[in-house]
Amino acid sequence: MQIEESIKGWGQLSSDEIADTPVRPLNRSSFAMRIILLILSVLTIYALSTIDYNSVDIKKAVSDTLSNFKTMFLQPYSHRFSLPDAFYGVVVTMGLAFLTTLFGGIIALFLGLLAAQNLGLKQVANIIKVFVAFIRAVPTILWVLIFAVSAGLGSAAAVIGMTFHSVSYLTKAYSESFEDLDRSVIEALMASGANWWQIVFQAVIPSSVTYLLSWTFLRFEINFANAVAMGAAAGAAGIGFDLFMASGFYFDLREVGLITYFILAFAMALESLSTNMKGRLRKRI
Amino acid sequence: MALLELRNVTKCYNSASTALSDVSFSVREGEFVSVIGPSGAGKSTMLRCINRMIEVTGGEIYFDGVIVSKLNKRDLRKLRTKIGMIFQHYNLVDRLTVIENVLHGRLGYKSTLAGVLGRYSQEEKGQAFRIIKFLGLNEQVYSRCDQLSGGQKQRVGIARALVQNPKMILCDEPIASLDPNASKIIMDHLRNVSTGMGITMIVNLHQVNVALKYSDRIIGVNKGKVVFDGSPAELTPERIYDIYGSESGDLIVDLGERNAS
Ligand SMILES: Nc1ncnc2c1ncn2[C@@H]1O[C@H](COP(=O)(O)OP(=O)(O)OP(=O)(O)O)[C@@H](O)[C@H]1O
Ligand SMILES: [Mg+2]
């Protein structure tokens, strides 16, 4: 009896009230979002309508771009540049990526331990997290240019700047991996007389090691891409610098194409290597 | 002589409330003591004060002839190796194997470096394997702990405590997340450890009938005060009412079952 009545009640509710209740009520933040989207679309339409097209012949521009791409990617060739040269360039770039990931990883390991909420003082952890977030908010290239003021444009500035950004990235990643281990587990080990270092190396790191590896490999891939850019932008040698010279100095589109293919092949090989290594390490752990 | 003695122990987390007020009792070596009381009475707090996972606000705790609150960091570590601890949620490192978790109990005895590197002696490993076998976990030695059932996890917890060669084991609601069957296995093990190895047990419990069945002695806590301290036989329905207040209705039914059997 009662159940039937309450079901009837539900029926009424759905027909009268629920029908016109929006699923997502219009609160302040969604209202602000809509206003912003509206303003942005108005601005976009205005900008597009006021661009000065006169000096550009669209048809010609498109066909020129396509033909440039065609030379670049369909006829890769270089007379200045031999395969060993290119290989040497890539190895230099990879060295840069490896070095900065290694330095970054080691420093971040310790900072990450201090920044993990379950391992240390909450205040220290929060200070480190804020500091590291600030470093991360500034792009790698800017850090390299900042350090170039004192170290001069070149590989030294690239190493320091890229390490700096890697440290901040990996500290966040590592500390969050460490936080996966419950505080109560750490307290249990404390209660049995283990000290902080023992707990870190016997419990915290072993239980987060697969995450640590994943993040480190990911950062290595990012650093490889960064190292290419640093070669071009900060004169840090390597394949990036060759690319910069080919495009900006010799204006040799076919060489640009060749180098791009080379970087692409190398990046892919790197990716499959790191996936492979991760898999193998994971099986062993 | 008493192994453990609490004298006028007081603990305030903040000025507003006192979790423990003026708690005094002593425990003999090899005794099996259950601590019962309603939720929030201060049972966990009391247990954690004993091995100084929580600092007391006032009073003194003597364990094995030393004053716990006066120990420096190094001696506190030594003291903690002599006191095992078991938890409701097991608090194992889930991603590690059973044997690795059990060996964690030895860390307190090792130098920082040996512990960091995980260098366990042949003797320690042998002991760990013997304890694991004793607790009936020999098939799971190399299983990861997240693949175990609750009862098995708790047995790993007991093994981790036993490998410390403790004089006393503190158990904070060891069977609160287990079914009756697994609970019985765990309580039987705890009782065997206590009787067979002469290890003192202090066990926080929610089930009065379990406390009655297994303990040498029961301590009742309410609102941070010890309101009962005596043998199971002395725990009459009136005393249970003192401990649990008005919530004690169901518990007395449990007691009736015991008297019937
Ligand atoms: N870290 C803390 N900070 C502040 N107050 C706390 C803290 N831990 C416990 N308390 C308070 O101390 C009192 C005793 O808590 P305790 O955990 O010792 O109770 P308990 O008897 O173990 O309860 P339960 O049976 O639910 O586990 C409670 O009122 C609780 O709110
Ligand atoms: Mg408790």
Side-chain angles (χ1 to χ4, degrees):
Chain A
M1 254 289 281
Q2 270 185 346
I3 295 174
E4 268 171 30
E5 265 170 28
S6 70
I7 288 174
K8 253 185 232 161
W10 273 102
Q12 274 173 4
L13 202 66
S14 67
S15 58
D16 304 344
E17 291 169 39
I18 295 179
D20 51 60
T21 312
V23 179
R24 218 196 285 177
L26 193 69
N27 56 18
R28 261 177 62 184
S29 76
S30 70
F31 182 70
M33 200 65 168
R34 278 179 204 192
I35 292 285
I36 288 173
L37 282 177
L38 194 72
I39 292 173
L40 283 179
S41 18
V42 168
L43 281 178
T44 310
I45 292 166
Y46 175 74
L48 283 176
S49 65
T50 54
I51 282 180
D52 180 11
Y53 293 109
N54 291 336
S55 59
V56 183
D57 176 359
I58 296 221
K59 251 192 202 161
K60 188 170 173 298
V62 169
S63 79
D64 277 1
T65 310
L66 285 179
S67 92
N68 277 353
F69 271 125
K70 204 176 115 199
T71 1
M72 219 187 266
F73 292 118
L74 296 183
Q75 303 154 353
Y77 174 75
S78 172
H79 49 89
R80 233 175 302 112
F81 214 64
S82 66
L83 197 64
D85 283 343
F87 198 73
Y88 176 73
V90 171
V91 169
V92 168
T93 299
M94 218 181 72
L96 187 59
F98 182 76
L99 202 66
T100 51
T101 312
L102 186 72
F103 286 167
I106 292 170
I107 298 170
L109 194 66
F110 290 99
L111 280 182
L113 289 170
L114 292 177
Q117 298 276 358
N118 52 351
L119 284 173
L121 297 171
K122 284 224 161 65
Q123 293 96 317
V124 177
N126 286 334
I127 289 170
I128 293 178
K129 276 190 171 156
V130 169
F131 184 65
V132 148
F134 168 73
I135 295 176
R136 219 174 30 248
V138 178
T140 313
I141 181 68
L142 278 186
W143 284 117
V144 172
L145 293 178
I146 288 167
F147 283 111
V149 174
S150 56
L153 214 52
S155 50
V159 170
I160 300 172
M162 282 169 67
T163 302
F164 213 62
H165 202 267
S166 300
V167 166
S168 71
Y169 181 94
L170 289 175
T171 299
K172 180 181 160 73
Y174 288 176
S175 65
E176 278 171 12
S177 312
F178 295 147
E179 279 165 10
D180 218 39
L181 188 65
D182 213 59
R183 202 188 171 88
S184 58
V185 177
I186 292 161
E187 274 170 4
L189 294 178
M190 287 278 200
S192 76
N195 66 24
W196 192 82
W197 287 106
Q198 294 174 334
I199 294 172
V200 164
F201 280 91
Q202 286 301 307
V204 179
I205 292 180
S207 69
S208 54
V209 71
T210 51
Y211 296 132
L212 300 187
L213 281 174
S214 297
W215 284 115
T216 312
F217 278 113
L218 184 63
R219 184 66 210 188
F220 180 65
E221 281 159 27
I222 294 173
N223 274 353
F224 182 74
N226 276 341
V228 173
M230 287 321 131
I239 196 80
F241 186 69
D242 296 329
L243 187 65
F244 172 69
M245 290 303 273
S247 66
F249 196 73
Y250 299 112
F251 206 70
D252 186 342
L253 284 180
R254 296 162 76 187
E255 195 173 295
V256 170
L258 182 76
I259 294 174
T260 307
Y261 275 124
F262 209 79
I263 294 173
L264 200 66
F266 221 82
M268 273 159 66
L270 217 62
E271 168 117 24
S272 76
L273 186 80
S274 82
T275 312
N276 193 313
M277 263 169 74
K278 250 188 301 192
R280 238 185 274 176
L281 280 168
R282 221 170 256 178
K283 234 177 267 164
R284 267 194 42 206
I285 293 160
Chain B
M1 197 194 124
L3 178 71
L4 173 75
E5 189 174 349
L6 277 73
R7 278 192 209 155
N8 313 104
V9 171
T10 306
K11 171 70 193 174
C12 310
Y13 283 106
N14 44 49
S15 53
S17 66
T18 47
L20 291 178
S21 61
D22 206 19
V23 170
S24 302
F25 63 87
S26 65
V27 179
R28 274 182 296 106
E29 206 161 337
E31 212 171 4
F32 193 115
V33 180
S34 294
V35 180
I36 58 173
S39 197
K43 304 184 294 294
S44 302
T45 304
M46 194 171 86
L47 226 56
R48 283 173 167 71
C49 284
I50 294 172
N51 60 0
R52 249 175 82 185
M53 294 307 288
I54 294 176
E55 300 286 346
V56 295
T57 318
E60 247 127 51
I61 298 175
Y62 296 80
F63 178 80
D64 205 19
V66 297
I67 301 175
V68 174
S69 59
K70 297 245 167 79
L71 297 176
N72 60 24
K73 221 174 155 188
R74 190 141 164 243
D75 291 332
L76 176 63
R77 216 184 142 204
K78 219 172 177 185
L79 171 99
R80 285 179 178 168
T81 61
K82 289 192 270 178
I83 304 177
M85 199 161 184
I86 293 169
F87 305 85
Q88 176 183 353
H89 298 294
Y90 329 118
N91 297 2
L92 307 170
V93 184
D94 273 340
R95 272 175 233 273
L96 296 183
T97 60
V98 168
I99 181 73
E100 284 171 312
N101 267 291
V102 172
L103 282 169
H104 279 165
R106 294 303 301 177
L107 288 174
Y109 287 98
K110 310 188 95 54
S111 70
T112 300
L113 190 66
V116 161
L117 298 175
R119 293 256 169 90
Y120 299 102
S121 71
Q122 215 54 43
E123 214 177 297
E124 287 172 322
K125 286 183 208 160
Q127 192 199 4
F129 276 109
R130 271 198 305 282
I131 290 171
I132 288 172
K133 202 168 166 196
F134 168 74
L135 293 170
L137 286 169
N138 27 357
E139 276 169 33
Q140 283 84 22
V141 179
Y142 298 110
S143 312
R144 267 170 52 147
C145 282
D146 48 10
Q147 293 164 353
L148 303 182
S149 71
Q152 288 169 331
K153 282 186 191 175
Q154 194 57 289
R155 277 184 274 161
V156 177
I158 296 175
R160 181 173 69 183
L162 284 180
V163 88
Q164 287 177 236
N165 288 330
K167 291 203 160 176
M168 178 168 79
I169 297 182
L170 307 172
C171 312
D172 195 2
E173 297 178 21
I175 56 169
S177 331
L178 300 177
D179 66 37
N181 236 329
S183 295
K184 185 178 181 316
I185 294 173
I186 294 299
M187 287 310 294
D188 285 344
H189 276 307
L190 291 179
R191 183 70 242 192
N192 286 344
V193 163
S194 175
T195 317
M197 306 181 187
I199 295 173
T200 310
M201 288 279 170
I202 301 184
V203 188
N204 283 355
L205 284 172
H206 267 306
Q207 300 90 331
V208 177
N209 52 343
V210 175
L212 288 169
K213 186 172 168 205
Y214 287 93
S215 327
D216 299 326
R217 194 168 133 213
I218 295 175
I219 292 175
V221 186
N222 189 340
K223 299 208 179 84
K225 289 198 173 65
V226 173
V227 293
F228 175 84
D229 183 352
S231 71
E234 290 171 288
L235 190 67
T236 56
E238 295 80 58
R239 308 318 302 273
I240 293 180
Y241 187 83
D242 289 346
I243 299 169
Y244 284 93
S246 53
E247 311 160 33
S248 62
D250 299 342
L251 298 158
I252 293 166
V253 176
D254 284 345
L255 199 62
E257 275 171 27
R258 171 192 67 152
N259 293 340
S261 65

